[in-house]
Amino acid sequence: MHIFLSKSFHSVGRCDRIPTVRGRRPGAKEKNVIELTGISKTYAKSENKAVDSLSLIIPDGRIFGFLGPNGAGKTTTIRILCGALEPDGGDILIDGVSMKNNPLEAKRHIGLVHDNPELFNRLKAYEYLDFVADVFGVTTDVRRASIAEYAKRFSLADALASPIGSLSRGMKQKLGVLASLLHDPQNWVLDEPMVGLDPQAAFELKEIMRERTKAGKCVFFSTHVMEVAEKVCDELAIINKGRIIFRGTMAELRSRRTSANETGDSLESLFLQLVDSSNGDAAL
Amino acid sequence: MRSRIVSLAILYIKSTFSLSLPSWKELKKPKKLAKTIGIGLGIVLILADVGFMFVMMNMTMYEGLKPAGMQGLMLLNASITASVLVFIMAFMMALSMFSQSGIESGFLVLPFSSRELLAAKMFLVYFAEALMGVFVMAIAIVIYGIKEAPPFMFYVNGLVTAFALPLLPTAISYLILVPLMNASRLFRSKNFIIYLGGFLGMGFALAFNFYIQSAMTKIGAPASLALYVDSGSLISRLGQAWIPSWLAWKALSEASSITGILAVLGNLAIGLAGCAVVVVLLGNGYVRSLRSFNESTFSKKKLSLDGKGREGRRTFTQKSLMRSLVAREIRLINREPMYLLNGPFVMILMPALMAVVYLAQREILSEAVKSLGPMLTGPGAYLIPAAFGGFLGSSSSITSTAVSRDAKALPWIKSMPIKSTWYFAAKLLHAELFALLGAFIGCGAGALLFGIGALDSLIALLLALLFSTALNMAGLWLDVTWPRLRWDNPLAAMKQNPNSSIAILATMGLIGGLSGLSAVIALPRYAYAMIFGAVFAILILVWVKFFPKYAAKRYKDMEA
């Protein structure tokens, strides 16, 4: 069955072609997209490539999901994208601004929700927010309005005076989300944002994602849960062993399910089969 | 199959002391070999340092008491010293163990009885203190053995006694601490325990220092020694009051008789009985303290977002990036007890320690100060206070651990639009605030002690500031080059970071070297200030010129 499916995927469509957005190829300069071209990364103490010649275009106005199993290279890609990690090769353009040549300006276009909210347990929540706002040069009026709005939506208002260490995992996650939105970034990048969130907060997060894409902004988030991607994403890319093994819309992924497996397996099993088939050889 | 209690005790010991010796294969890697040799040398140096102190104390006492035929009192002194030391250390360690109650409460879901949990934890404390007890006792036993050639049973009794001495202190420590933990919510806070432990530890360290310094002064002179070992003296009273010490003395001084054996057995029986009683009586109380351990600091305070009132104006208000970065640095170090106590708090601890030493050995040090008289009429008038201030100003370990402490947050920091220059400048500025404080305290203390005039004091302060700044810059360079970026416990970034030790040793070496140089080379009074000042200023300028570019590259390449 696996062999059959793998062969089917190979025959159905290839993802090792350079991904395109509306027919555009990487390299063609266009504003308001995140563009990764030929990104590779091998960690200093590792022999394996965490990210291998990865090219991806993340358009505005869409919720773009980034899926992959644990250790596939999602966080590494996000860290490279946000300038936290230096790639061994390749280019990153954030709304046309090069992360390599103009990192400060490129970073100003991004709001990042980190995968680890356990960072500054000794700081109080308001101190953390003030710090982030100061880094992005958010004026007093704008930060107050922003904090008031999102603290209300995420039920965080009563926690602002507390040390971050005293907050639950979910509260810390919500604080990270709030902080990432203070400067109203054009590109909102979230690394496993749903982890630890209660249903109400998860709902709010998805609502904000949709609001932002409606406003023409970019939302790019990673997850390893297919169900989340299925409900939220307009478009997605699947990564395994540092390489993109699928990129397309949910409809394209669903159509692949139909053509690949007439028995109508779930998207989750399709995801597993994609990952499984890419484990044996090169990216699909 | 091991019993649960033994397994748990071994787990505690391994996790507390990280006991893992490298294999031969690992030692073939030059870096691992160098690290192992370095750690080994460090341990030997520390043991040699402490050992030397006790060797001198015992030797001096033996030589002083021998003419009167009272050399056996040396063993009483060793027993009391070991008892006091293991008691202090056992209490401190037991207290610090409670700061891990949050983690340890995870064991409550496993099938351990409350007594097993307490017994295993007490064994951990006992294990550490037994090593200490054996170390202190062994020095006295070996010295006495060489000098007096006692019977074989002397050594057997001595060794068993050394292992028996920490039993009762361990039991008493838990007898005090378990009810205390259950008595108040205040004690069930990790931060409170760390601070309390830190301050008590410093208090005990100062008191023990005072005791050793006083003892060394007294046993050096025959007249004082007679008073020191007199039946009404502190040591004699302690010996009579603390039964284990008295039994230890009997076990050693009457080793060949049945009294000696009975004393050893008595010591063991008292210690084991004490531990058993505490385990039986306080097992449930101990588990209760773990269950109720609460380190939540959730604040019920509501912040105003409308900017009204003093607090409203202060919070959620735009500030400059540099101010925000420096504030972050200060908050993160000052609110982590391990960082504060091992870092900036040194500025307070060091002068306090010096004051204790001065009080304990006032007469000797007064003489020493007088002997400095000729130097104080020359350049020493500003060089000596400058050395005090320079040492204190550069001993906060802020810059030499700056990047290591930030390891966990590095990916986040690097994803923000913060120039590496600003990031490192904030770290340096933070260190400089404490350098100013340290230089002021050090120079001020020197000026007061030696009665230095205003001009020399000002020159000393300027030199100390230049020296501290140059050293802080070097410390930052060091931690940028070899940061410790992978750790689980924040303590590793500061206390187990070789950079902080290297920085402090370099500071000491440099001050020693410059002092030697100043003594050897004769120059006009203020020429030293000009030369040293110029050298430090040049070093600072070199740093300003080259560091930002280097740091930017390193910052880019760092992978936490």
Side-chain angles (χ1 to χ4, degrees), chain B residues 19-48:
Chain B
L19 294 173
S20 65
L21 288 171
S23 64
W24 285 113
K25 197 179 167 189
E26 284 176 315
L27 286 176
K28 282 177 184 165
K29 294 176 187 166
K31 198 176 166 187
K32 187 76 184 176
L33 182 67
K35 192 179 168 187
T36 309
I37 291 172
I39 292 171
L41 273 177
I43 293 170
V44 169
L45 275 174
I46 291 168
L47 288 178

PDB file of all heavy atoms in Angstrom, chain B residues 19-48:
ATOM      1  N   LEU B  19      27.549  13.651  38.900  1.00  0.00           N
ATOM      2  CA  LEU B  19      28.721  12.783  38.934  1.00  0.00           C
ATOM      3  C   LEU B  19      28.824  11.966  37.642  1.00  0.00           C
ATOM      4  O   LEU B  19      28.082  11.027  37.428  1.00  0.00           O
ATOM      5  CB  LEU B  19      28.630  11.817  40.123  1.00  0.00           C
ATOM      6  CG  LEU B  19      28.691  12.448  41.507  1.00  0.00           C
ATOM      7  CD1 LEU B  19      28.406  11.405  42.571  1.00  0.00           C
ATOM      8  CD2 LEU B  19      30.036  13.083  41.748  1.00  0.00           C
ATOM      9  N   SER B  20      29.686  12.369  36.777  1.00  0.00           N
ATOM     10  CA  SER B  20      29.925  11.571  35.572  1.00  0.00           C
ATOM     11  C   SER B  20      31.366  11.802  35.120  1.00  0.00           C
ATOM     12  O   SER B  20      31.743  12.899  34.722  1.00  0.00           O
ATOM     13  CB  SER B  20      28.945  11.946  34.458  1.00  0.00           C
ATOM     14  OG  SER B  20      29.157  13.246  34.038  1.00  0.00           O
ATOM     15  N   LEU B  21      32.144  10.758  35.251  1.00  0.00           N
ATOM     16  CA  LEU B  21      33.539  10.863  34.823  1.00  0.00           C
ATOM     17  C   LEU B  21      33.629  10.560  33.330  1.00  0.00           C
ATOM     18  O   LEU B  21      32.938   9.669  32.847  1.00  0.00           O
ATOM     19  CB  LEU B  21      34.394   9.868  35.617  1.00  0.00           C
ATOM     20  CG  LEU B  21      34.625  10.212  37.087  1.00  0.00           C
ATOM     21  CD1 LEU B  21      35.283   9.047  37.799  1.00  0.00           C
ATOM     22  CD2 LEU B  21      35.475  11.471  37.234  1.00  0.00           C
ATOM     23  N   PRO B  22      34.450  11.304  32.600  1.00  0.00           N
ATOM     24  CA  PRO B  22      34.555  11.024  31.161  1.00  0.00           C
ATOM     25  C   PRO B  22      35.219   9.670  30.899  1.00  0.00           C
ATOM     26  O   PRO B  22      36.074   9.235  31.677  1.00  0.00           O
ATOM     27  CB  PRO B  22      35.422  12.180  30.654  1.00  0.00           C
ATOM     28  CG  PRO B  22      36.160  12.663  31.839  1.00  0.00           C
ATOM     29  CD  PRO B  22      35.317  12.394  33.027  1.00  0.00           C
ATOM     30  N   SER B  23      34.817   9.046  29.810  1.00  0.00           N
ATOM     31  CA  SER B  23      35.429   7.758  29.456  1.00  0.00           C
ATOM     32  C   SER B  23      36.783   8.024  28.794  1.00  0.00           C
ATOM     33  O   SER B  23      37.084   9.160  28.394  1.00  0.00           O
ATOM     34  CB  SER B  23      34.519   7.008  28.486  1.00  0.00           C
ATOM     35  OG  SER B  23      34.420   7.749  27.293  1.00  0.00           O
ATOM     36  N   TRP B  24      37.598   6.963  28.660  1.00  0.00           N
ATOM     37  CA  TRP B  24      38.908   7.109  28.014  1.00  0.00           C
ATOM     38  C   TRP B  24      38.744   7.623  26.586  1.00  0.00           C
ATOM     39  O   TRP B  24      39.537   8.429  26.104  1.00  0.00           O
ATOM     40  CB  TRP B  24      39.648   5.768  28.004  1.00  0.00           C
ATOM     41  CG  TRP B  24      40.196   5.417  29.357  1.00  0.00           C
ATOM     42  CD1 TRP B  24      39.795   4.382  30.150  1.00  0.00           C
ATOM     43  CD2 TRP B  24      41.211   6.126  30.085  1.00  0.00           C
ATOM     44  NE1 TRP B  24      40.500   4.403  31.329  1.00  0.00           N
ATOM     45  CE2 TRP B  24      41.384   5.459  31.320  1.00  0.00           C
ATOM     46  CE3 TRP B  24      41.993   7.258  29.819  1.00  0.00           C
ATOM     47  CZ2 TRP B  24      42.290   5.866  32.270  1.00  0.00           C
ATOM     48  CZ3 TRP B  24      42.900   7.665  30.781  1.00  0.00           C
ATOM     49  CH2 TRP B  24      43.043   6.977  31.994  1.00  0.00           C
ATOM     50  N   LYS B  25      37.686   7.142  25.937  1.00  0.00           N
ATOM     51  CA  LYS B  25      37.439   7.536  24.545  1.00  0.00           C
ATOM     52  C   LYS B  25      37.176   9.048  24.473  1.00  0.00           C
ATOM     53  O   LYS B  25      37.701   9.745  23.601  1.00  0.00           O
ATOM     54  CB  LYS B  25      36.228   6.751  24.015  1.00  0.00           C
ATOM     55  CG  LYS B  25      36.118   6.744  22.515  1.00  0.00           C
ATOM     56  CD  LYS B  25      34.913   5.923  22.088  1.00  0.00           C
ATOM     57  CE  LYS B  25      34.600   6.173  20.633  1.00  0.00           C
ATOM     58  NZ  LYS B  25      33.323   5.569  20.245  1.00  0.00           N
ATOM     59  N   GLU B  26      36.372   9.519  25.436  1.00  0.00           N
ATOM     60  CA  GLU B  26      36.057  10.961  25.453  1.00  0.00           C
ATOM     61  C   GLU B  26      37.314  11.796  25.726  1.00  0.00           C
ATOM     62  O   GLU B  26      37.468  12.896  25.216  1.00  0.00           O
ATOM     63  CB  GLU B  26      35.000  11.252  26.524  1.00  0.00           C
ATOM     64  CG  GLU B  26      33.599  10.852  26.131  1.00  0.00           C
ATOM     65  CD  GLU B  26      32.594  11.071  27.258  1.00  0.00           C
ATOM     66  OE1 GLU B  26      32.906  10.703  28.410  1.00  0.00           O
ATOM     67  OE2 GLU B  26      31.535  11.608  26.976  1.00  0.00           O
ATOM     68  N   LEU B  27      38.196  11.230  26.559  1.00  0.00           N
ATOM     69  CA  LEU B  27      39.406  11.978  26.931  1.00  0.00           C
ATOM     70  C   LEU B  27      40.383  12.134  25.770  1.00  0.00           C
ATOM     71  O   LEU B  27      41.338  12.907  25.873  1.00  0.00           O
ATOM     72  CB  LEU B  27      40.095  11.299  28.113  1.00  0.00           C
ATOM     73  CG  LEU B  27      39.410  11.487  29.471  1.00  0.00           C
ATOM     74  CD1 LEU B  27      40.113  10.699  30.547  1.00  0.00           C
ATOM     75  CD2 LEU B  27      39.349  12.960  29.866  1.00  0.00           C
ATOM     76  N   LYS B  28      40.137  11.406  24.702  1.00  0.00           N
ATOM     77  CA  LYS B  28      41.022  11.548  23.546  1.00  0.00           C
ATOM     78  C   LYS B  28      40.738  12.840  22.788  1.00  0.00           C
ATOM     79  O   LYS B  28      41.548  13.300  21.988  1.00  0.00           O
ATOM     80  CB  LYS B  28      40.868  10.338  22.618  1.00  0.00           C
ATOM     81  CG  LYS B  28      41.619   9.129  23.171  1.00  0.00           C
ATOM     82  CD  LYS B  28      41.428   7.910  22.318  1.00  0.00           C
ATOM     83  CE  LYS B  28      42.112   6.718  22.968  1.00  0.00           C
ATOM     84  NZ  LYS B  28      41.681   5.459  22.388  1.00  0.00           N
ATOM     85  N   LYS B  29      39.562  13.420  23.028  1.00  0.00           N
ATOM     86  CA  LYS B  29      39.244  14.709  22.400  1.00  0.00           C
ATOM     87  C   LYS B  29      39.959  15.809  23.184  1.00  0.00           C
ATOM     88  O   LYS B  29      39.759  15.921  24.402  1.00  0.00           O
ATOM     89  CB  LYS B  29      37.733  14.957  22.412  1.00  0.00           C
ATOM     90  CG  LYS B  29      36.958  13.982  21.550  1.00  0.00           C
ATOM     91  CD  LYS B  29      35.471  14.238  21.705  1.00  0.00           C
ATOM     92  CE  LYS B  29      34.684  13.160  20.976  1.00  0.00           C
ATOM     93  NZ  LYS B  29      33.273  13.148  21.359  1.00  0.00           N
ATOM     94  N   PRO B  30      40.780  16.621  22.509  1.00  0.00           N
ATOM     95  CA  PRO B  30      41.580  17.630  23.225  1.00  0.00           C
ATOM     96  C   PRO B  30      40.745  18.574  24.087  1.00  0.00           C
ATOM     97  O   PRO B  30      41.121  18.900  25.212  1.00  0.00           O
ATOM     98  CB  PRO B  30      42.270  18.409  22.085  1.00  0.00           C
ATOM     99  CG  PRO B  30      42.202  17.516  20.906  1.00  0.00           C
ATOM    100  CD  PRO B  30      41.025  16.640  21.072  1.00  0.00           C
ATOM    101  N   LYS B  31      39.557  18.983  23.573  1.00  0.00           N
ATOM    102  CA  LYS B  31      38.730  19.934  24.310  1.00  0.00           C
ATOM    103  C   LYS B  31      38.229  19.304  25.617  1.00  0.00           C
ATOM    104  O   LYS B  31      38.251  19.925  26.671  1.00  0.00           O
ATOM    105  CB  LYS B  31      37.544  20.355  23.431  1.00  0.00           C
ATOM    106  CG  LYS B  31      36.863  21.623  23.876  1.00  0.00           C
ATOM    107  CD  LYS B  31      35.777  22.013  22.926  1.00  0.00           C
ATOM    108  CE  LYS B  31      34.888  23.072  23.527  1.00  0.00           C
ATOM    109  NZ  LYS B  31      33.725  23.351  22.707  1.00  0.00           N
ATOM    110  N   LYS B  32      37.792  18.055  25.514  1.00  0.00           N
ATOM    111  CA  LYS B  32      37.264  17.346  26.686  1.00  0.00           C
ATOM    112  C   LYS B  32      38.384  17.118  27.701  1.00  0.00           C
ATOM    113  O   LYS B  32      38.193  17.277  28.909  1.00  0.00           O
ATOM    114  CB  LYS B  32      36.672  16.003  26.225  1.00  0.00           C
ATOM    115  CG  LYS B  32      35.948  15.244  27.307  1.00  0.00           C
ATOM    116  CD  LYS B  32      34.586  15.840  27.579  1.00  0.00           C
ATOM    117  CE  LYS B  32      33.892  15.153  28.733  1.00  0.00           C
ATOM    118  NZ  LYS B  32      32.624  15.775  29.049  1.00  0.00           N
ATOM    119  N   LEU B  33      39.570  16.767  27.160  1.00  0.00           N
ATOM    120  CA  LEU B  33      40.722  16.514  28.032  1.00  0.00           C
ATOM    121  C   LEU B  33      41.101  17.788  28.785  1.00  0.00           C
ATOM    122  O   LEU B  33      41.306  17.782  30.005  1.00  0.00           O
ATOM    123  CB  LEU B  33      41.903  16.012  27.189  1.00  0.00           C
ATOM    124  CG  LEU B  33      43.165  15.650  27.976  1.00  0.00           C
ATOM    125  CD1 LEU B  33      42.918  14.437  28.863  1.00  0.00           C
ATOM    126  CD2 LEU B  33      44.330  15.375  27.034  1.00  0.00           C
ATOM    127  N   ALA B  34      41.154  18.903  28.021  1.00  0.00           N
ATOM    128  CA  ALA B  34      41.521  20.185  28.636  1.00  0.00           C
ATOM    129  C   ALA B  34      40.500  20.572  29.701  1.00  0.00           C
ATOM    130  O   ALA B  34      40.862  21.037  30.794  1.00  0.00           O
ATOM    131  CB  ALA B  34      41.595  21.268  27.560  1.00  0.00           C
ATOM    132  N   LYS B  35      39.222  20.337  29.396  1.00  0.00           N
ATOM    133  CA  LYS B  35      38.161  20.688  30.345  1.00  0.00           C
ATOM    134  C   LYS B  35      38.277  19.829  31.604  1.00  0.00           C
ATOM    135  O   LYS B  35      38.173  20.339  32.729  1.00  0.00           O
ATOM    136  CB  LYS B  35      36.805  20.464  29.668  1.00  0.00           C
ATOM    137  CG  LYS B  35      35.637  21.041  30.412  1.00  0.00           C
ATOM    138  CD  LYS B  35      34.361  20.795  29.662  1.00  0.00           C
ATOM    139  CE  LYS B  35      33.155  21.113  30.528  1.00  0.00           C
ATOM    140  NZ  LYS B  35      31.911  20.731  29.887  1.00  0.00           N
ATOM    141  N   THR B  36      38.521  18.533  31.410  1.00  0.00           N
ATOM    142  CA  THR B  36      38.644  17.621  32.554  1.00  0.00           C
ATOM    143  C   THR B  36      39.844  18.007  33.421  1.00  0.00           C
ATOM    144  O   THR B  36      39.739  18.052  34.655  1.00  0.00           O
ATOM    145  CB  THR B  36      38.804  16.160  32.060  1.00  0.00           C
ATOM    146  OG1 THR B  36      37.753  15.889  31.133  1.00  0.00           O
ATOM    147  CG2 THR B  36      38.738  15.174  33.195  1.00  0.00           C
ATOM    148  N   ILE B  37      40.952  18.315  32.753  1.00  0.00           N
ATOM    149  CA  ILE B  37      42.151  18.714  33.513  1.00  0.00           C
ATOM    150  C   ILE B  37      41.863  20.010  34.275  1.00  0.00           C
ATOM    151  O   ILE B  37      42.209  20.155  35.452  1.00  0.00           O
ATOM    152  CB  ILE B  37      43.364  18.880  32.575  1.00  0.00           C
ATOM    153  CG1 ILE B  37      43.788  17.503  32.043  1.00  0.00           C
ATOM    154  CG2 ILE B  37      44.537  19.541  33.299  1.00  0.00           C
ATOM    155  CD1 ILE B  37      44.860  17.542  30.966  1.00  0.00           C
ATOM    156  N   GLY B  38      41.202  20.941  33.597  1.00  0.00           N
ATOM    157  CA  GLY B  38      40.876  22.231  34.216  1.00  0.00           C
ATOM    158  C   GLY B  38      40.003  22.049  35.447  1.00  0.00           C
ATOM    159  O   GLY B  38      40.284  22.619  36.513  1.00  0.00           O
ATOM    160  N   ILE B  39      38.964  21.224  35.300  1.00  0.00           N
ATOM    161  CA  ILE B  39      38.058  20.985  36.437  1.00  0.00           C
ATOM    162  C   ILE B  39      38.820  20.281  37.561  1.00  0.00           C
ATOM    163  O   ILE B  39      38.707  20.639  38.736  1.00  0.00           O
ATOM    164  CB  ILE B  39      36.832  20.144  35.994  1.00  0.00           C
ATOM    165  CG1 ILE B  39      35.947  20.981  35.054  1.00  0.00           C
ATOM    166  CG2 ILE B  39      36.015  19.680  37.191  1.00  0.00           C
ATOM    167  CD1 ILE B  39      34.837  20.214  34.379  1.00  0.00           C
ATOM    168  N   GLY B  40      39.637  19.289  37.178  1.00  0.00           N
ATOM    169  CA  GLY B  40      40.430  18.562  38.172  1.00  0.00           C
ATOM    170  C   GLY B  40      41.361  19.495  38.922  1.00  0.00           C
ATOM    171  O   GLY B  40      41.442  19.450  40.154  1.00  0.00           O
ATOM    172  N   LEU B  41      42.035  20.351  38.190  1.00  0.00           N
ATOM    173  CA  LEU B  41      42.949  21.317  38.818  1.00  0.00           C
ATOM    174  C   LEU B  41      42.196  22.250  39.753  1.00  0.00           C
ATOM    175  O   LEU B  41      42.663  22.567  40.846  1.00  0.00           O
ATOM    176  CB  LEU B  41      43.663  22.139  37.741  1.00  0.00           C
ATOM    177  CG  LEU B  41      44.948  21.533  37.171  1.00  0.00           C
ATOM    178  CD1 LEU B  41      45.493  22.415  36.068  1.00  0.00           C
ATOM    179  CD2 LEU B  41      46.002  21.382  38.269  1.00  0.00           C
ATOM    180  N   GLY B  42      41.028  22.680  39.295  1.00  0.00           N
ATOM    181  CA  GLY B  42      40.189  23.574  40.104  1.00  0.00           C
ATOM    182  C   GLY B  42      39.835  22.919  41.427  1.00  0.00           C
ATOM    183  O   GLY B  42      39.956  23.530  42.494  1.00  0.00           O
ATOM    184  N   ILE B  43      39.419  21.638  41.354  1.00  0.00           N
ATOM    185  CA  ILE B  43      39.047  20.916  42.581  1.00  0.00           C
ATOM    186  C   ILE B  43      40.268  20.777  43.495  1.00  0.00           C
ATOM    187  O   ILE B  43      40.186  21.027  44.703  1.00  0.00           O
ATOM    188  CB  ILE B  43      38.461  19.520  42.224  1.00  0.00           C
ATOM    189  CG1 ILE B  43      37.114  19.699  41.503  1.00  0.00           C
ATOM    190  CG2 ILE B  43      38.286  18.663  43.472  1.00  0.00           C
ATOM    191  CD1 ILE B  43      36.548  18.430  40.901  1.00  0.00           C
ATOM    192  N   VAL B  44      41.399  20.419  42.898  1.00  0.00           N
ATOM    193  CA  VAL B  44      42.624  20.263  43.699  1.00  0.00           C
ATOM    194  C   VAL B  44      42.995  21.586  44.366  1.00  0.00           C
ATOM    195  O   VAL B  44      43.347  21.632  45.557  1.00  0.00           O
ATOM    196  CB  VAL B  44      43.786  19.750  42.805  1.00  0.00           C
ATOM    197  CG1 VAL B  44      45.117  19.840  43.533  1.00  0.00           C
ATOM    198  CG2 VAL B  44      43.528  18.309  42.378  1.00  0.00           C
ATOM    199  N   LEU B  45      42.883  22.681  43.613  1.00  0.00           N
ATOM    200  CA  LEU B  45      43.236  23.989  44.162  1.00  0.00           C
ATOM    201  C   LEU B  45      42.341  24.366  45.335  1.00  0.00           C
ATOM    202  O   LEU B  45      42.814  24.865  46.358  1.00  0.00           O
ATOM    203  CB  LEU B  45      43.131  25.066  43.068  1.00  0.00           C
ATOM    204  CG  LEU B  45      44.362  25.221  42.180  1.00  0.00           C
ATOM    205  CD1 LEU B  45      44.081  26.204  41.059  1.00  0.00           C
ATOM    206  CD2 LEU B  45      45.550  25.722  43.009  1.00  0.00           C
ATOM    207  N   ILE B  46      41.033  24.128  45.151  1.00  0.00           N
ATOM    208  CA  ILE B  46      40.094  24.476  46.225  1.00  0.00           C
ATOM    209  C   ILE B  46      40.399  23.633  47.473  1.00  0.00           C
ATOM    210  O   ILE B  46      40.481  24.153  48.592  1.00  0.00           O
ATOM    211  CB  ILE B  46      38.630  24.268  45.763  1.00  0.00           C
ATOM    212  CG1 ILE B  46      38.270  25.314  44.705  1.00  0.00           C
ATOM    213  CG2 ILE B  46      37.657  24.368  46.931  1.00  0.00           C
ATOM    214  CD1 ILE B  46      36.986  25.046  43.966  1.00  0.00           C
ATOM    215  N   LEU B  47      40.587  22.315  47.248  1.00  0.00           N
ATOM    216  CA  LEU B  47      40.887  21.434  48.383  1.00  0.00           C
ATOM    217  C   LEU B  47      42.206  21.837  49.042  1.00  0.00           C
ATOM    218  O   LEU B  47      42.322  21.850  50.272  1.00  0.00           O
ATOM    219  CB  LEU B  47      40.952  19.977  47.919  1.00  0.00           C
ATOM    220  CG  LEU B  47      39.617  19.323  47.542  1.00  0.00           C
ATOM    221  CD1 LEU B  47      39.832  17.902  47.062  1.00  0.00           C
ATOM    222  CD2 LEU B  47      38.642  19.330  48.716  1.00  0.00           C
ATOM    223  N   ALA B  48      43.187  22.182  48.204  1.00  0.00           N
ATOM    224  CA  ALA B  48      44.493  22.572  48.742  1.00  0.00           C
ATOM    225  C   ALA B  48      44.371  23.851  49.556  1.00  0.00           C
ATOM    226  O   ALA B  48      44.975  23.978  50.635  1.00  0.00           O
ATOM    227  CB  ALA B  48      45.489  22.755  47.603  1.00  0.00           C
TER     228      ALA B  48
END
